[in-house]
Amino acid sequence: MMGMPSAVWLDSTASLTGNYSLAATTLASAANHTDPPLVVFIVYNLPNRDCHAKASLGELCCTYSVNTSSHCNFTAPGECKDGLDDYRTKYIDRLVAWLQKFSTVPVVTVIEPDSLPNLATNMDDIKCGSNATQNSYKKGVAYAVESLAKARRKLTGAARVDVYMDAAHGAWLGWDNNRDAITTIIKDLNVTRFIRGFATNVANYNSIGIQCGRGVDCKLGPFSSDPCCEDPCGLLDQWNRANNELNYVTLLGETMRASIEGFDPHFLIDSGRNGNSYARSSCGSWCNVRHAGAGYAPTLSTGNTSLVDAYFWFKTPGESDGCTKSLPTDKDSYSKGELCPRYDTDCGEDDSIGSRNGTEPFAPEAGAWFSYQVQQLAANAKLFDYNYSFNCTTPIPTGAPTSSLDSPSPSPSPSPTPAPTTLADSPSLPPSSNPTF
């Protein structure tokens, strides 16, 4: 596991500020190679970020709270002009400048996990449904996508910058109406000509599974006992046919192609922590899941390269998703320390490490190294147990009720703030056709 490449999260303006910033040092290290390796960046710093989370870790705000400059007033009126100005000039424009300076390094960017999915499903949450948050997410994502896609267009001999937007996961957007909602948002943004496709399961635990072929209907039959119908979270009982990530990207790709003329999206799937499909009691559990295992090692051999470009570790296994209510002490992780200021109650649920008082260690803040968790990920790892025994050329059926009333409403998991990642062995994703501008 130590030798596997993983993504670098850029979740603050500081990660892009100065020659010793995370972005600069990562790109400089890669550029020192004769054949520079691929760098994968997670772009994650929208104003009013984490609108549906119980404890936001976002840096930029549309309006700052009167109590502290580090938290956002999500319900304040306005269009987020100041927040978007900061996002453009202090964050995205700086990333563009670094990409241009180190133009020999091939880069993949994944844009703003959980942002647009929250607009697709959580508009009844006033923090997500406010004019400011909607404006931030839509205008911010559109600016990021176009700016990064064009960053090196005029530079001779520059390496590619491929852009993937975030599309949550099958247990969030797998229902027919949720896929329709995210597709409408993407279509209205008018950015598909700038992107290669979408990343799914980012920082989550959903199983990759086996892709179903034509004629297999896991819900109504026939062939509902096919291995592609394995359903660890019971999603089929909720009329969600995205029972695994391969079936999800198949369905989402069909929805996108049917709604957006000329668009043929490709997908990346986070395989860092989904090696144990039955670790959770609910697919809504996302925080430091007990008995999880590292999943497929990063690879381009996905079995269906016309749809899935790669499996990759976007969240570094071993970095905490979030803290328990009390932090561990410096000397003993089993001893209760001070209260965690960024505690999210989802991290205290039954599936989360640390919820069993006295028998497990307390969990550290998001992004901090969690030794107990990484040991479980290693013990349950399935790094090379690839399963390509599926029909990858035909779609799975749609139809039946489209209600997502029983859909889990997962809160976005806080981003880690990792140290620069060594990517010398990182795979290079396959090239996409040049977009038409």
Side-chain angles (χ1 to χ4, degrees):
M1 287 173 60
M2 291 179 62
M4 299 297 171
S6 60
V8 175
W9 289 67
L10 305 175
D11 66 348
S12 66
T13 54
S15 67
L16 294 156
T17 305
N19 292 332
Y20 295 99
S21 65
L22 181 57
T25 55
T26 300
L27 290 168
S29 176
N32 283 333
H33 292 261
T34 303
D35 183 16
L38 176 76
V39 168
V40 179
F41 283 136
I42 308 295
V43 176
Y44 191 52
N45 201 28
L46 277 173
N48 283 17
R49 198 187 74 195
D50 301 338
C51 68
H52 196 58
K54 297 180 177 68
S56 172
L57 294 177
E59 174 192 29
L60 300 179
C61 298
C62 296
T63 300
Y64 290 93
S65 168
V66 296
N67 298 318
T68 171
S69 62
S70 62
H71 288 91
C72 303
N73 181 350
F74 284 90
T75 60
E79 300 299 320
C80 199
K81 181 182 182 302
D82 291 343
L84 282 169
D85 285 346
D86 285 343
Y87 183 72
R88 294 180 183 114
T89 60
K90 298 179 181 179
Y91 185 71
I92 294 300
D93 291 353
R94 289 179 183 176
L95 178 54
V96 168
W98 289 122
L99 294 177
Q100 292 173 342
K101 180 174 182 178
F102 298 104
S103 62
T104 61
V105 179
V107 172
V108 161
T109 57
V110 174
I111 308 300
E112 298 295 347
D114 297 338
S115 57
L116 299 182
N118 271 319
L119 297 189
T121 65
N122 292 319
M123 292 290 285
D124 56 348
D125 182 335
I126 192 171
K127 296 191 299 181
C128 300
S130 70
N131 287 335
T133 298
Q134 291 187 63
N135 225 35
S136 167
Y137 287 15
K138 292 177 180 179
K139 291 186 177 181
V141 166
Y143 184 81
V145 166
E146 183 170 355
S147 298
L148 297 174
K150 290 182 174 180
R152 296 174 176 171
R153 290 298 300 264
K154 297 181 180 180
L155 300 181
T156 303
R160 317 181 54 86
V161 176
D162 282 308
V163 179
Y164 293 78
M165 298 176 71
D166 177 71
H169 51 80
W172 186 343
L173 298 181
W175 285 265
D176 292 358
N177 56 337
N178 290 354
R179 295 197 319 275
D180 290 342
I182 192 66
T183 298
T184 297
I185 291 171
I186 300 298
K187 183 177 181 179
D188 290 346
L189 289 182
N190 193 28
V191 295
T192 54
R193 65 192 183 279
F194 300 118
I195 67 173
R196 168 75 176 174
F198 299 91
T200 77
N201 200 43
V202 174
N204 217 289
Y205 297 82
N206 281 19
S207 63
I208 288 177
I210 298 173
Q211 183 182 353
C212 290
R214 186 180 299 278
V216 177
D217 186 336
C218 292
K219 178 61 180 176
L220 300 176
F223 308 114
S224 59
S225 61
D226 190 278
C228 72
C229 297
E230 185 178 9
D231 188 17
C233 290
L235 295 174
L236 292 168
D237 290 338
Q238 303 171 49
W239 290 100
N240 181 352
R241 286 187 166 90
N243 57 300
N244 62 52
E245 285 301 288
L246 283 175
N247 284 342
Y248 171 54
V249 299
T250 301
L251 290 166
L252 183 60
E254 291 174 1
T255 303
M256 293 278 182
R257 286 189 293 272
S259 300
I260 305 174
E261 184 177 359
F263 184 42
D264 184 21
H266 292 244
F267 294 89
L268 306 174
I269 301 176
D270 191 342
S271 59
R273 303 186 298 175
N274 57 7
N276 181 8
S277 300
Y278 290 91
R280 300 177 290 177
S281 62
S282 166
C283 271
S285 300
W286 57 266
C287 187
N288 300 327
V289 171
R290 183 184 298 106
H291 299 314
Y296 295 162
T299 181
L300 305 179
S301 300
T302 63
N304 185 359
T305 55
S306 65
L307 180 68
V308 182
D309 286 340
Y311 302 136
F312 196 78
W313 290 6
F314 293 113
K315 169 89 171 184
T316 301
E319 289 178 346
S320 176
D321 292 317
C323 53
T324 43
K325 188 172 183 179
S326 295
L327 292 167
T329 64
D330 292 337
K331 294 183 178 180
D332 180 10
S333 61
Y334 286 82
S335 296
K336 182 185 295 187
E338 60 186 24
L339 293 177
C340 179
R342 299 294 189 191
Y343 174 62
D344 188 314
T345 55
D346 284 355
C347 294
E349 292 185 349
D350 290 343
D351 285 335
S352 298
I353 297 171
S355 63
R356 296 176 178 173
N357 293 334
T359 64
E360 294 176 326
F362 294 92
E365 288 262 26
W369 188 251
F370 195 1
S371 179
Y372 186 89
Q373 183 196 42
V374 79
Q375 290 178 55
Q376 290 197 348
L377 291 170
N380 297 312
K382 294 184 178 179
L383 303 184
F384 305 106
D385 188 19
Y386 303 117
N387 189 341
Y388 298 142
S389 59
F390 56 84
N391 185 338
C392 63
T393 60
T394 53
I396 59 179
T398 58
T402 60
S403 173
S404 59
L405 293 177
D406 296 322
S407 167
S409 298
S411 298
S413 58
S415 88
T417 51
T421 305
T422 300
L423 296 171
D425 298 322
S426 174
S428 296
L429 296 179
S432 61
S433 58
N434 289 330
T436 301
F437 294 99

